[in-house]
Amino acid sequence: MIRFAFTLTALLLGFATYAQHEKPAKISSASLQEGFGPLRLGNDSITIIGKYLNYQPKKGDEFSVSVYDFLSTRQMEFKAAIDANGQFSIKVPAQAPCDIFLDWGVTWQRTIGVPGETIYYTADPSEYNDLNWEDPSFFNRKFSTRFQGTNSRLHMEILAFNNAYDGWFDNSYHSWSDENLPDLAYRDKVVHKKLLPEWAFLQSWIKQHRPEKRTIQYLEARVLCQTNYMLMQYLYKLDKLKQRQFSPGYLATVDSIRNVLPQLGYLSRDYQVVIRDMATYGSLVTGWNRPQAADSVYNTLKPLDIERELRLAREITAQYSSTSSPLPEADFQRGLAALKDPFVREAIQKRQQYFKDLDARMDAEMQLTGLFSDTTGLGQLTTTEAVYRHITAPYKGKVIYLDVWGTWCAPCRDEMQFAGELKKRLEGKDVAFIYLANNSAEKSWRNFIKDRKLYGKSTFHYNLPRAQQQLFEKQYLKGGYPTFILIDKSGKFVTNTAPRPSNTDEAVKAIEALL
């Protein structure tokens, strides 16, 4: 039986030394008498069987479930067809109790997925048509949304809290990082203006509704995980703040909150990002060229065993992501030897084998004929205009949606997961999707395209000679990578700030306006 009790004074080590700040308040909980237990990873799944009420069938309608890959922290979206009666069924992987997002953008449900469970889900999408996050009264309505199954009480309690919370919270905290506060001032604001009020609201709700212990455990963990997420994301402000690293008190706060999270047995989206950002922070401070495992500020934060496994696994996974190729055998064996958790080891072995198999596939098998566009003669071009004409001329009469990206660019890779949906929405229309790869090794470039299935009748890939890529980017790149460009049917440049594939509705609208 696990018991969990802590005070904010303990969490915020060194916090009270700043006289200008209010005295830390006490936060306590005894919610972990029963619950999910310590965080462990395994190979399992979650099944969702559902029905939409008052469903109006539309061609191509799908029910989506989003989860986060524990190796890459990348969002994975799974979809299942909705039949004419509004019914659907889908199974998604689950390595631990984790965040799952059900048809986000339609019925907007976030809950915890328990490995091995079957969730029976009912909702009326029309009740969410006029969703307004700024209108608290919206969440006071009675909704038809219901969860049934073994964990029905858990899910219904989370649903009730979500509705209460969404009608109460102030989302202005999203803009706090834009204020460029010193790190300790930002920490204090996050703690006093977000963590403490949310914790008080949660404890009041718990007292009023008396939910089961797993519900309390999950909701308390969610508040703590989001707090640490906000604190660690501030590392991307250090350069602008002209700080080389966080103040010791700042890291002590992060560390104190983080130390209790593995006890919660819940692999939240925010917690996964925190672990990733901690490793990134260590590399930034010590220098990217120094051995991270031997000399890293990250290691001063006393990573727990499960965090160590996840960090090492993600470092290996990042190499797969950037090269889309198997690791050299010596590097692979060295990485595998450093991992102790059997499930994590097996996951890395499967990934290595996947890329070995990918490496061996023939282009013809994947219908890639003509996919890689001919760059013959490009090396002779010496002006931006000439490069532009060479790329766009073959597609005159079509609207061109052009993505300037690189295999090494994480935000570029993240956007690729939304490319399929965008192309599906525009299928059969006069649109050409062109990808211009920056500084990407030929093998990695080709394997990445195969891996992400970035091919089709309207898709064309270029890996330009460096000089010609630079000529093009000098005029058309906007704010870094990726840059999305729209070109009209006559070949005229329209914009280099086109909506991203992840903003699918706006991207479709912008493209269709040129058809």
Side-chain angles (χ1 to χ4, degrees):
M1 187 161 59
I2 302 172
R3 293 186 180 274
F4 173 43
F6 64 89
T7 66
L8 190 59
T9 305
L11 288 177
L12 308 179
L13 297 177
F15 187 79
T17 61
Y18 298 92
Q20 69 270 32
H21 305 303
E22 60 191 271
K23 184 178 179 181
K26 183 177 181 180
I27 291 180
S28 62
S29 168
S31 66
L32 295 190
Q33 294 173 4
E34 298 173 12
F36 297 111
L39 180 59
R40 294 185 181 89
L41 299 173
N43 187 22
D44 214 324
S45 61
I46 299 163
T47 300
I48 298 101
I49 299 172
K51 179 178 176 63
Y52 273 162
L53 307 174
N54 301 314
Y55 177 65
Q56 303 297 319
K58 293 180 184 177
K59 185 179 179 181
D61 261 5
E62 294 177 312
F63 179 83
S64 70
V65 180
S66 294
V67 297
Y68 281 75
D69 177 25
F70 82 103
L71 286 176
S72 66
T73 70
R74 186 164 60 91
Q75 177 179 304
M76 300 186 299
E77 187 175 40
F78 300 87
K79 295 185 177 183
I82 304 175
D83 70 18
N85 297 315
Q87 297 177 336
F88 48 86
S89 177
I90 190 170
K91 181 181 286 189
V92 299
Q95 295 83 27
C98 60
D99 287 316
I100 58 172
F101 298 83
L102 305 181
D103 228 2
W104 201 255
V106 180
T107 53
W108 303 94
Q109 294 304 319
R110 175 185 181 179
T111 190
I112 188 170
V114 181
E117 75 169 325
T118 296
I119 298 172
Y120 298 92
Y121 178 64
T122 306
D124 184 343
S126 66
E127 294 176 346
Y128 296 87
N129 284 345
D130 58 343
L131 172 62
N132 182 358
W133 296 104
E134 306 298 326
D135 178 13
S137 65
F138 177 88
F139 300 97
N140 294 328
R141 301 179 185 180
K142 289 186 177 180
F143 294 94
S144 304
T145 305
R146 295 290 182 273
F147 291 90
Q148 294 178 294
T150 306
N151 297 311
S152 59
R153 179 182 174 185
L154 170 69
H155 294 298
M156 289 302 295
E157 288 173 346
I158 292 170
L159 172 64
F161 176 80
N162 286 345
N163 287 339
Y165 175 81
D166 290 335
W168 166 82
F169 91 122
D170 175 8
N171 66 3
S172 63
Y173 68 84
H174 289 299
S175 64
W176 291 353
S177 63
D178 297 331
E179 297 175 16
N180 296 326
L181 297 170
D183 64 342
L184 291 174
Y186 175 73
R187 178 202 65 178
D188 297 352
K189 190 166 186 175
V190 169
V191 168
H192 284 286
K193 301 297 185 183
K194 187 175 189 300
L195 173 58
L196 288 178
E198 286 191 0
W199 192 267
F201 177 83
L202 172 58
Q203 297 307 317
S204 173
W205 185 88
I206 290 170
K207 185 175 181 180
Q208 180 181 356
H209 295 278
R210 304 181 67 82
E212 68 158 279
K213 293 188 181 301
R214 289 185 305 168
T215 303
I216 299 172
Q217 180 179 337
Y218 164 74
L219 293 175
E220 290 183 343
R222 205 167 83 179
V223 171
L224 294 175
C225 289
Q226 188 177 57
T227 299
N228 250 11
Y229 169 84
M230 290 181 65
L231 293 174
M232 282 309 303
Q233 283 280 293
Y234 212 58
L235 76 91
Y236 300 105
K237 283 284 186 177
L238 287 179
D239 186 55
K240 187 170 283 189
L241 297 173
K242 297 183 177 170
Q243 285 184 231
R244 185 172 179 270
Q245 60 191 75
F246 286 129
S247 303
Y250 195 99
L251 289 178
T253 301
V254 171
D255 205 21
S256 298
I257 296 175
R258 183 187 56 77
N259 279 338
V260 304
L261 296 180
Q263 300 177 44
L264 304 175
Y266 156 55
L267 192 61
S268 85
R269 171 193 63 178
D270 293 335
Y271 183 34
Q272 293 182 69
V273 175
V274 166
I275 296 171
R276 181 199 69 191
D277 285 347
M278 287 166 62
T280 299
Y281 175 69
S283 295
L284 287 172
V285 173
T286 59
W288 288 103
N289 295 323
R290 296 173 68 181
Q292 186 172 343
D295 183 13
S296 171
V297 172
Y298 174 80
N299 285 332
T300 70
L301 296 177
K302 303 173 185 176
L304 304 167
D305 287 345
I306 189 64
E307 293 181 346
R308 175 187 170 280
E309 291 292 296
L310 290 172
R311 176 177 65 85
L312 290 173
R314 285 167 186 167
E315 288 174 3
I316 297 170
T317 302
Q319 296 179 62
Y320 291 127
S321 298
S322 63
T323 66
S324 295
S325 299
L327 296 181
E329 191 60 27
D331 292 347
F332 170 69
Q333 292 298 336
R334 186 163 50 249
L336 197 65
L339 295 168
K340 308 302 179 189
D341 186 285
F343 175 74
V344 177
R345 285 173 57 88
E346 182 183 359
I348 292 298
Q349 288 172 319
K350 286 180 178 179
R351 192 138 313 189
Q352 175 78 354
Q353 189 60 49
Y354 169 82
F355 283 106
K356 282 184 177 180
D357 294 342
L358 182 67
D359 226 18
R361 291 177 198 166
M362 299 295 292
D363 285 354
E365 280 185 299
M366 303 186 71
Q367 301 174 345
L368 296 176
T369 305
L371 173 63
F372 301 108
S373 300
D374 185 15
T375 57
T376 304
L378 266 170
Q380 309 304 315
L381 303 180
T382 58
T383 67
T384 298
E385 183 60 30
V387 175
Y388 179 90
R389 281 199 308 269
H390 185 99
I391 294 169
T392 60
Y395 314 106
K396 197 167 184 179
K398 297 179 181 290
V399 175
I400 296 174
Y401 185 74
L402 193 151
D403 179 355
V404 184
W405 70 292
T407 57
W408 46 267
C409 164
C412 302
R413 298 194 301 265
D414 289 344
E415 283 296 325
M416 294 300 184
Q417 65 185 302
F418 303 101
E421 177 64 22
L422 179 59
K423 292 173 187 175
K424 183 179 178 181
R425 295 269 296 272
L426 294 163
E427 190 174 2
K429 299 186 178 180
D430 290 330
V431 182
F433 295 90
I434 298 179
Y435 295 85
L436 236 57
N438 169 282
N439 197 28
S440 299
E442 186 79 9
K443 182 178 178 181
S444 297
W445 172 61
R446 288 176 177 265
N447 277 354
F448 183 90
I449 291 165
K450 296 177 191 177
D451 176 34
R452 300 300 176 91
K453 297 181 172 59
L454 297 172
Y455 45 83
K457 291 181 180 179
S458 60
T459 303
F460 309 92
H461 290 272
Y462 289 84
N463 198 356
L464 304 182
R466 184 184 295 267
Q468 283 65 42
Q469 181 80 16
Q470 289 174 343
L471 280 173
F472 185 90
E473 292 181 2
K474 185 176 181 181
Q475 181 165 336
Y476 295 108
L477 195 70
K478 181 71 173 181
Y481 306 90
T483 289
F484 295 95
I485 297 170
L486 274 176
I487 297 166
D488 71 15
K489 287 185 172 185
S490 69
K492 182 181 177 182
F493 168 81
V494 177
T495 181
N496 56 2
T497 57
R500 296 182 171 214
S502 56
N503 191 2
T504 311
D505 290 342
E506 291 303 312
V508 169
K509 189 185 301 182
I511 293 169
E512 288 184 333
L514 298 174
L515 289 172

